[in-house]
């Protein structure tokens, strides 16, 4: 028998018989390695454990607990689900079953209308197949064989997939017991390697994502390598559902949506209070570092967007109108308006940097299926700023923006990471300016000692950018702040300032947002704090609860004093039981409840119950007021 050379990651080479499998190679190293592995990476391509290697190759053994091993396990979970469905519902036709984040799904065509009550039965059958430990075997077939197999089954879904495959492409079928499925693979060696999974939900899905095609039933599942990991994920899902900003937004009366304005939030008083606090917090910090606040029109002439470059790169996401036979567009961004303001007067180099900020309402068209509460909307407020600088000021100004970002995010307890995005394919401008811009951003990141991820080709069309990703209480990542360096728009708008040689030269523009979208940031905060906002941000900071009507006068006296100190306070004078009033205030997640009775009046005191705590304590009213004012002032 002829032999082949197998090269290992450490550079060593060993001879094996031609047709050796990754499984046999792993076993030759150690039996324990074979037990923990699920595949081989042969010349960079994933091979099933039992697939023969026919020529000299390099190999890496793929462990099941690796990223690739987990994805293979999840792919095999999809086949496990399909086999269980075939056993329980013989008429089922299988569409596609890909891997997704944290699991898998399978789209199927069947006469039985699946409900959540069916999922435990299907899981039980899946468990049975796992216990059977069926080998999962790869089989190559010709196009003609594949068509013949699925024509006999009258399976129109698989036939369509086969016919759409490019000529000459290898076609593979994977078998496990009586079940087989058209699939590229690879898969784990046997069904016994599948450990921890749970079917999550059922939904409708158009075949191949095309609304002109038939509607199929989609079954979603989660899959992990251990029950512990699965349980942690299920707990995460449960916690995320409790924190869902759409649910809490309704319960806490923060915002609403209406069919009269799809994807456009209506702020209720509580939500508007939070939004105002967010704006004022940022506004004050910006004032301290010499930003000037401006406001630009919601709608401007279409030619402005053609001039800025947004028309070529963004018009499909814009809204348009016509007034007096002139075409106008709702602004999707604030930049062009700020360019016009800068151009409104002559600037000297002594004026720069010019820091121009706006809480600007923008409109962007999103498909209805993409809308998601406050996270994805069609109109939102950007905390936008444009800083007009000399080339020499670029790096120092960007460092100042970093300080501002850090101050704001640390106030909310957000950790963050950064990402540098470079020139995209649809960019405008010459190579020299792009290289200069990207170099400036890299210099700042390196000077600040920031670890950053390089995201090639994902910059804005007018310049490279640094994006900030915050992590919420559930460790989910959200991209919010951004710093974008722009040499292009000053050219487009013919912006100039007079330099020290009395020459007109171009400024450079730094685009900057920190919340990004205030609406989206609010949605993130709702989930981050689970609706229990820190005292300074809470819509109602204090709830006064008199024990009976005779204590109302004292409550009104305290309310008047707290309002004088700008504390947001309400009184509950309803004829309800004390326990009911306290529970309701807890449900509204109000930071402080003050119970007022005879003893409190006598001692000019308050009985304080803090949100989330069972115990209460009686303190003097002045001590409580000083404490809460300190929390508000210190943004706690």
């Amino acid at each position: 028998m002829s032999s082949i050379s197998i090269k290992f990651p450490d550079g060593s080479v060993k001879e094996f018989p031609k047709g050796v499998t990754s499984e046999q190679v792993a076993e030759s190293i150690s039996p324990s390695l074979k037990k923990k592995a699920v595949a081989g990476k042969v010349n960079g391509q994933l091979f099933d454990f039992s697939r023969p290697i026919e020529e000299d190759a390099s190999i890496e053994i793929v462990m099941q607990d690796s990223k690739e091993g987990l994805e293979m396990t999840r792919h095999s979970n999809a086949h496990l689900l399909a086999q269980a469905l075939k056993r329980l519902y013989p008429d089922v036709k299988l569409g596609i079953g890909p891997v997704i984040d944290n699991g898998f799904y399978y789209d199927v065509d069947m006469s039985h209308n699946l409900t959540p009550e069916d999922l435990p039965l299907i899981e039980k059958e899946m468990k049975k197949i796992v216990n059977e430990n069926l080998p999962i075997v790869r089989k190559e077939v010709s196009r003609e064989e594949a068509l013949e197999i699925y024509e006999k089954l009258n399976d129109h879904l698989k036939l369509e997939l086969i016919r759409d495959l490019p000529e000459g492409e290898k076609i593979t079928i994977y078998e496990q017991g009586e079940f087989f499925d058209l699939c590229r693979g690879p898969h784990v060696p046997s069904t016994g390697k599948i450990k921890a999974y749970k079917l999550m939900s059922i939904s409708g899905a158009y075949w191949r994502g095309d609304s002109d095609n038939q509607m199929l039933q989609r079954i979603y599942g989660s899959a992990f390598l251990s029950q512990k990991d699965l349980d942690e994920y299920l707990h995460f899902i449960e916690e995320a559902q409790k924190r869902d900003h759409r649910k809490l937004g309704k319960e806490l009366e923060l915002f609403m949506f209406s069919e009269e304005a799809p994807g456009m939030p209506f702020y209720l008083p509580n939500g508007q209070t939070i939004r105002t606090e967010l704006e004022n917090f940022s506004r004050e910090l910006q004032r301290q570092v010499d930003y000037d606040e401006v406001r630009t029109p919601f709608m401007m002439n279409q030619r402005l967007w053609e001039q800025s470059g947004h028309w070529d790169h963004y018009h499909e996401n814009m809204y348009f109108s016509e007034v007096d036979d002139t075409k106008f567009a709702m602004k999707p961004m604030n930049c062009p308006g700020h360019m016009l303001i800068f151009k409104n007067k002559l600037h000297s180099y002594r004026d720069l940097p010019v820091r121009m900020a706006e809480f600007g309402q923008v409109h962007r068209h999103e498909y209805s299926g993409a809308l998601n509460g406050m996270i994805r909307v069609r109109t939102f407020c950007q905390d936008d700023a444009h800083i007009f600088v000399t080339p020499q000021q670029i790096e120092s100004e960007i460092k100042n923006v970093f300080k501002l970002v850090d101050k704001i995010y640390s106030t909310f307890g957000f950790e963050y990471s950064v990402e540098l995005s470079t020139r995209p394919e649809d960019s405008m401008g010459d190579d020299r300016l792009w290289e200069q811009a990207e170099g400036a951003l890299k210099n700042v990141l390196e000077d600040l000692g920031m670890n950053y991820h390089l995201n090639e080709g994902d910059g804005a069309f007018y310049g490279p950018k640094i994006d900030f990703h915050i992590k919420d209480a559930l460790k989910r990542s959200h991209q919010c702040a951004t710093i974008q360096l722009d040499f292009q728009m000053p050219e487009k708008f013919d912006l100039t300032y007079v330099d020290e040689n009395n020459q007109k030269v171009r400024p450079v523009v730094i685009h900057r947002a920190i919340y990004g979208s205030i609406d989206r940031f609010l949605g993130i905060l709702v989930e981050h704090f689970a609706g229990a906002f820190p005292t300074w941000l809470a819509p109602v900071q204090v709830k006064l609860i008199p024990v009976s009507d005779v204590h109302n006068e004292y409550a009104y006296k305290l309310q008047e004093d707290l309002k004088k100190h700008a504390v947001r306070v309400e009184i509950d004078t309803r004829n309800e039981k004390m326990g009911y009033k306290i529970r309701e205030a807890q449900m509204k997640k109000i930071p402080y409840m003050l119970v007022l009775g005879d003893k409190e009046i006598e001692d000019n005191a308050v009985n304080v119950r803090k949100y989330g705590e069972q115990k209460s304590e009686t303190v003097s009213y002045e001590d409580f007021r000083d404490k809460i004012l300190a929390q508000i002032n210190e943004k706690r």
Side-chain angles (χ1 to χ4, degrees):
M1 182 182 287
S2 59
S3 64
I4 58 174
S5 298
I6 299 293
K7 184 177 181 181
F8 292 91
D10 65 358
S12 62
V13 178
K14 189 175 176 183
E15 297 292 312
F16 288 90
K18 184 179 180 182
V20 69
T21 65
S22 301
E23 182 176 23
Q24 290 166 334
V25 173
E27 188 174 27
S28 75
I29 299 170
S30 84
S32 65
L33 179 66
K34 172 190 166 185
K35 188 175 180 182
K36 294 174 184 175
V38 288
K41 190 180 276 188
V42 179
N43 293 332
Q45 180 187 352
L46 280 173
F47 267 43
D48 297 277
F49 226 19
S50 59
R51 181 176 172 181
I53 305 170
E54 304 290 350
E55 58 188 20
D56 294 349
S58 63
I59 192 169
E60 296 175 52
I61 301 301
V62 177
M63 311 302 286
Q64 189 166 18
D65 63 0
S66 68
K67 182 175 183 289
E68 289 162 324
L70 176 56
E71 284 196 359
M72 285 175 61
T73 305
R74 286 173 173 160
H75 194 179
S76 298
N77 264 280
H79 279 217
L80 177 66
L81 166 61
Q83 184 174 10
L85 289 169
K86 277 282 191 184
R87 288 185 177 184
L88 295 170
Y89 311 100
D91 72 326
V92 68
K93 299 290 189 292
L94 303 173
I96 55 172
V99 173
I100 56 174
D101 286 347
N102 303 305
F104 59 95
Y105 70 77
Y106 219 117
D107 289 344
V108 298
D109 179 22
M110 55 193 288
S111 57
H112 177 71
N113 189 29
L114 290 165
T115 66
E117 288 69 37
D118 293 314
L119 298 184
L121 177 66
I122 300 168
E123 282 183 4
K124 186 177 178 182
E125 192 63 35
M126 291 169 71
K127 180 67 173 174
K128 193 186 296 183
I129 298 167
V130 169
N131 291 337
E132 290 171 17
N133 196 23
L134 301 171
I136 302 176
V137 180
R138 179 181 185 271
K139 180 181 174 184
E140 285 190 23
V141 296
S142 68
R143 179 181 293 269
E144 291 71 26
E145 287 175 298
L147 288 170
E148 185 180 348
I149 289 167
Y150 285 101
E151 279 168 358
K152 282 182 181 176
L153 294 174
N154 194 28
D155 191 328
H156 63 291
L157 300 177
K158 295 296 187 188
L159 286 170
E160 183 180 324
L161 291 174
I162 294 166
R163 288 173 183 140
D164 286 351
L165 289 172
E167 286 292 335
E169 182 164 324
K170 281 182 182 176
I171 297 177
T172 51
I173 284 175
Y174 280 79
E175 299 174 341
Q176 53 195 59
E178 82 291 350
F179 172 78
F180 63 89
D181 198 5
L182 180 77
C183 183
R184 286 195 182 93
H187 286 276
V188 296
S190 71
T191 59
K193 285 279 190 181
I194 300 171
K195 301 298 181 187
Y197 53 87
K198 182 171 179 58
L199 299 183
M200 303 294 289
S201 62
I202 303 157
S203 69
Y206 290 111
W207 171 232
R208 303 179 86 173
D210 187 338
S211 59
D212 292 332
N213 291 338
Q214 74 176 109
M215 177 70 76
L216 303 179
Q217 297 185 73
R218 176 172 293 179
I219 307 168
Y220 285 98
S222 295
F224 291 85
L225 297 178
S226 71
Q227 191 61 43
K228 177 176 175 288
D229 289 344
L230 177 61
D231 289 343
E232 285 179 0
Y233 175 70
L234 295 176
H235 175 72
F236 166 83
I237 291 294
E238 183 182 356
E239 187 63 27
Q241 288 171 345
K242 287 180 191 172
R243 291 170 177 256
D244 190 315
H245 75 281
R246 293 164 298 186
K247 172 178 172 286
L248 289 173
K250 188 173 184 179
E251 291 173 2
L252 301 177
E253 299 180 282
L254 302 178
F255 46 77
M256 58 168 271
F257 289 88
S258 169
E259 291 181 2
E260 308 307 321
M264 301 184 185
F266 291 71
Y267 279 82
L268 305 178
N270 287 342
Q272 182 59 34
T273 296
I274 297 172
R275 174 170 166 162
T276 301
E277 286 290 343
L278 291 174
E279 287 189 14
N280 287 344
F281 174 44
S282 175
R283 181 175 279 120
E284 176 56 24
L285 290 177
Q286 290 179 157
R287 186 193 63 77
Q288 291 173 17
V289 287
D290 299 323
Y291 281 79
D292 293 313
E293 189 170 341
V294 299
R295 186 166 294 275
T296 57
F298 287 178
M299 189 168 72
M300 290 179 272
N301 196 301
Q302 182 176 309
R303 67 171 177 262
L304 177 74
W305 306 103
E306 293 169 355
Q307 181 181 0
S308 70
H310 288 91
W311 177 262
D312 291 334
H313 299 269
Y314 212 77
H315 72 272
E316 68 276 6
N317 295 101
M318 295 169 66
Y319 293 103
F320 301 94
S321 184
E322 194 166 304
V323 182
D324 297 334
D325 298 323
T326 303
K327 291 182 179 178
F328 287 81
M330 300 289 284
K331 65 176 177 180
M333 299 172 187
N334 299 300
C335 342
H338 292 189
M339 305 300 132
L340 295 181
I341 291 177
F342 182 87
K343 196 173 182 178
N344 186 53
K345 63 180 278 190
L346 182 65
H347 293 275
S348 159
Y349 70 95
R350 293 186 181 88
D351 300 328
L352 273 57
V354 170
R355 304 179 185 95
M356 198 179 297
E358 178 176 10
F359 295 100
Q361 196 73 19
V362 298
H363 292 74
R364 299 181 186 177
H365 179 257
E366 299 282 358
Y367 290 110
S368 58
L371 299 176
N372 175 18
M374 300 290 273
I375 304 300
R376 196 73 175 248
V377 292
R378 287 175 171 161
T379 181
F380 56 93
C381 178
Q382 280 187 316
D383 64 324
D384 220 352
H386 293 88
I387 308 169
F388 300 82
V389 297
T390 69
Q392 296 75 26
Q393 293 169 333
I394 291 172
E395 294 185 18
S396 61
E397 264 319 293
I398 292 175
K399 288 176 183 176
N400 289 338
V401 175
F402 263 86
K403 290 177 186 174
L404 197 54
V405 170
D406 190 72
K407 171 64 178 174
I408 289 178
Y409 284 175
S410 62
T411 299
F412 299 104
F414 285 130
E415 297 176 1
Y416 60 86
S417 58
V418 297
E419 178 179 87
L420 173 60
S421 298
T422 56
R423 186 175 191 171
E425 287 184 12
D426 68 339
S427 62
M428 63 184 190
D430 65 58
D431 294 346
R432 183 184 61 81
L433 291 177
W434 272 90
E435 287 170 12
Q436 185 180 350
E438 289 176 6
L441 294 184
K442 285 178 183 174
N443 287 343
V444 169
L445 291 169
E446 286 163 10
D447 285 352
L448 293 173
M450 298 290 299
N451 291 321
Y452 66 92
H453 171 70
L454 185 61
N455 193 6
E456 296 278 5
D458 199 42
F461 67 85
Y462 47 75
K465 61 178 181 171
I466 295 172
D467 286 331
F468 294 73
H469 296 259
I470 59 175
K471 279 200 173 173
D472 67 15
L474 295 183
K475 303 302 180 187
R476 296 172 299 187
S477 181
H478 308 271
Q479 192 273 308
C480 292
T482 188
I483 301 171
Q484 301 172 0
L485 196 52
D486 182 5
F487 289 83
Q488 314 301 333
M489 282 205 191
E491 291 281 345
K492 292 275 186 182
F493 286 90
D494 190 27
L495 304 185
T496 60
Y497 67 93
V498 178
D499 71 7
E500 54 269 38
N501 299 316
N502 211 31
Q503 299 294 312
K504 285 190 174 182
V505 294
R506 297 267 184 254
V508 180
V509 174
I510 299 169
H511 301 245
R512 184 238 73 186
I514 299 177
Y515 296 137
S517 154
I518 291 181
D519 311 72
R520 180 168 173 267
F521 197 80
L522 173 58
I524 293 168
L525 285 180
V526 172
E527 298 189 1
H528 178 62
F529 292 119
F533 296 101
T535 303
W536 74 275
L537 202 53
V540 177
Q541 295 162 325
V542 177
K543 177 75 83 170
L544 300 173
I545 306 176
V547 174
S548 68
D549 290 351
V550 298
H551 309 112
N552 287 353
E553 185 180 346
Y554 183 55
Y556 285 119
K557 175 187 167 187
L558 299 190
Q559 181 188 44
E560 183 180 1
D561 185 66
L562 288 169
K563 281 185 174 182
K564 281 180 183 175
H565 289 86
V567 177
R568 295 186 288 275
V569 57
E570 290 181 353
I571 301 178
D572 190 343
T573 58
R574 293 173 301 166
N575 187 23
E576 297 283 358
K577 291 182 178 177
M578 182 63 56
Y580 177 85
K581 293 181 179 182
I582 291 170
R583 278 194 304 275
E584 189 177 79
Q586 287 274 9
M587 287 175 63
K588 294 295 183 185
K589 304 181 189 291
I590 296 169
Y592 290 100
M593 291 146 276
L594 306 185
V595 177
L596 310 173
D598 291 341
K599 181 70 173 167
E600 286 72 34
I601 293 174
E602 183 181 334
D603 297 336
N604 194 33
V606 290
N607 183 266
V608 183
R609 291 174 180 266
K610 193 174 181 181
Y611 173 77
E613 296 182 2
Q614 295 297 319
K615 61 181 180 64
S616 63
E617 62 172 340
T618 299
V619 299
S620 75
Y621 168 67
E622 287 77 11
D623 285 349
F624 169 76
R625 186 186 64 196
D626 291 346
K627 178 182 176 181
I628 194 171
L629 290 176
Q631 286 188 354
I632 293 168
N633 291 334
E634 294 164 16
K635 298 288 186 287
R636 291 188 281 123

